[in-house]
Amino acid sequence: MSATLRRKVTLALLPACAALAVNLLGGPAHAAAAGPEGYGAGTTGGAGGGTTTVSSLSAFTAAVKGDAAKTVRVSGTITLSGQVKVGSNTTVVGVGSGSGFTGGGLSLDGVHNVIVQNLRISKAVGTDAITVIRGANHIWVDHDDLSSDLSHGKDYYDGLLDITHAADYITVSWNHFHDHYKVSLVGHSDSNAAEDTGHLHVTYAHNWFSNVNSRLPSVRFGTAHIYDNYFQNVSDSAVHSRMNAQALVQNNVFRSVGTAVTTTGDSKTDGYANLSGNDLGGAKTDITRTGTFTKPPYGYTLTPTSSVVSSVTAGAGTGVVG
């Protein structure tokens, strides 16, 4: 083969080699570039709008206001008290692996088309790290690091990611949730059936839950597809389906977990859960009703269960995208 021909072949193979390298690293960069898989598909955030880099609370608060398309890059750690509301058609993305917020969190209240990516959010006192609420829809929470600590009581912090009041079409992917009690609640109250029924469609994919207590997630009324996640050191229960919620739980790995999946307890009505391909690692299940949710209304690719731990621990959290 001539030198010229070798060069042409090499150039032709570069894209395929790059894609292979990403897949060997667990696939997160490719997944992020392609957009969210699951119920949040189609979320574009601030694509097509301007980009602003901020490093102070006042600059951040001003930058995320309004519904015009925009990308806001957070550089460094910004201290919050309470929550900052993010407008529609917005991407909030951290710079590098250590940027984000502490002391408070983000409110996605009644907005649509929002991406929250590559942020470290820690120790949101008395509130959620991220709240998705009041009909907010088409939301993608991706490659974030969300945590508090276990040295305070269960109610000192609230949730890391709570999705309530008829929020809908949400994908939660490649995040590291750790060192927290009540991690992720979908549907806030047993008495909210009138508002929540028919909403709260959420996909949890490729997340790493470690050193946590419960709500991974806990779902009322909604529909949750939970696949390719790694649950590690969970002192109480992981997936909890209640109040007629439907959960499809596929190809997840559980290690040092009390109860992997439950459909009963804490609410007056049980939920439903269907399981396939999971590695329970000795964890128990408490499933009283299996339900009808066996296939989501979208295409997706399952990671082989044997590869979930290596893929998720390599790819979840910050520093991979952004």
Side-chain angles (χ1 to χ4, degrees):
M1 184 184 294
S2 69
T4 300
L5 182 58
R6 282 197 301 270
R7 182 174 182 273
K8 288 180 178 179
V9 171
T10 301
L11 290 173
L13 289 174
L14 280 177
C17 292
L20 177 60
V22 168
N23 288 333
L24 289 173
L25 289 172
H30 176 72
E37 185 176 73
Y39 282 117
T43 303
T44 58
T51 299
T52 304
T53 301
V54 301
S55 57
S56 69
L57 176 56
S58 59
F60 176 71
T61 302
V64 296
K65 284 183 178 178
D67 296 336
K70 55 195 172 295
T71 295
V72 180
R73 291 168 55 81
V74 177
S75 180
T77 301
I78 298 174
T79 299
L80 305 180
S81 178
Q83 291 186 315
V84 174
K85 183 175 179 179
V86 177
S88 297
N89 304 309
T90 303
T91 296
V92 183
V93 58
V95 176
S97 61
S99 294
F101 307 98
T102 189
L106 304 179
S107 173
L108 280 55
D109 187 348
V111 297
H112 62 273
N113 192 32
V114 175
I115 297 172
V116 178
Q117 193 173 61
N118 199 45
L119 294 169
R120 286 185 176 270
I121 307 179
S122 66
K123 299 185 177 180
V125 179
T127 190
D128 303 325
I130 302 173
T131 301
V132 183
I133 192 169
R134 275 186 276 272
N137 62 87
H138 293 92
I139 309 297
W140 186 22
V141 179
D142 175 67
H143 278 103
D144 299 298
D145 185 296
L146 307 177
S147 70
S148 63
D149 61 57
L150 296 172
S151 58
H152 293 83
K154 289 185 179 182
D155 297 321
Y156 184 77
Y157 305 102
D158 203 346
L160 291 180
L161 172 61
D162 283 4
I163 300 166
T164 63
H165 289 281
D168 220 347
Y169 300 111
I170 297 157
T171 292
V172 181
S173 60
W174 296 105
N175 301 285
H176 188 191
F177 298 90
H178 60 100
D179 298 286
H180 193 80
Y181 279 104
K182 300 179 293 184
V183 174
S184 189
L185 183 66
V186 179
H188 74 292
S189 169
D190 287 1
S191 62
N192 209 48
E195 182 181 25
D196 285 342
T197 300
H199 301 286
L200 302 175
H201 293 85
V202 187
T203 298
Y204 288 81
H206 314 289
N207 301 288
W208 182 10
F209 300 91
S210 63
N211 301 322
V212 289
N213 184 68
S214 63
R215 301 183 180 179
L216 314 175
S218 176
V219 187
R220 294 180 175 96
F221 304 112
T223 301
H225 186 199
I226 302 159
Y227 68 92
D228 291 347
N229 301 283
Y230 178 32
F231 301 86
Q232 179 189 32
N233 297 333
V234 179
S235 55
D236 191 352
S237 61
V239 178
H240 189 182
S241 176
R242 46 183 168 157
M243 295 306 297
N244 293 318
Q246 296 272 356
L248 176 59
V249 185
Q250 298 182 291
N251 286 37
N252 302 281
V253 175
F254 301 83
R255 292 291 182 267
S256 299
V257 174
T259 301
V261 184
T262 181
T263 61
T264 192
D266 298 330
S267 288
K268 59 186 178 182
T269 304
D270 290 357
Y272 300 88
N274 279 294
L275 277 64
S276 67
N278 300 287
D279 178 352
L280 297 177
K284 66 179 181 179
T285 62
D286 187 7
I287 299 171
T288 58
R289 301 196 291 179
T290 55
T292 58
F293 182 34
T294 59
K295 184 178 180 181
Y298 50 77
Y300 64 103
T301 302
L302 288 170
T303 299
T305 310
S306 60
S307 299
V308 165
V309 172
S310 59
S311 175
V312 168
T313 54
T318 60
V320 180
V321 299

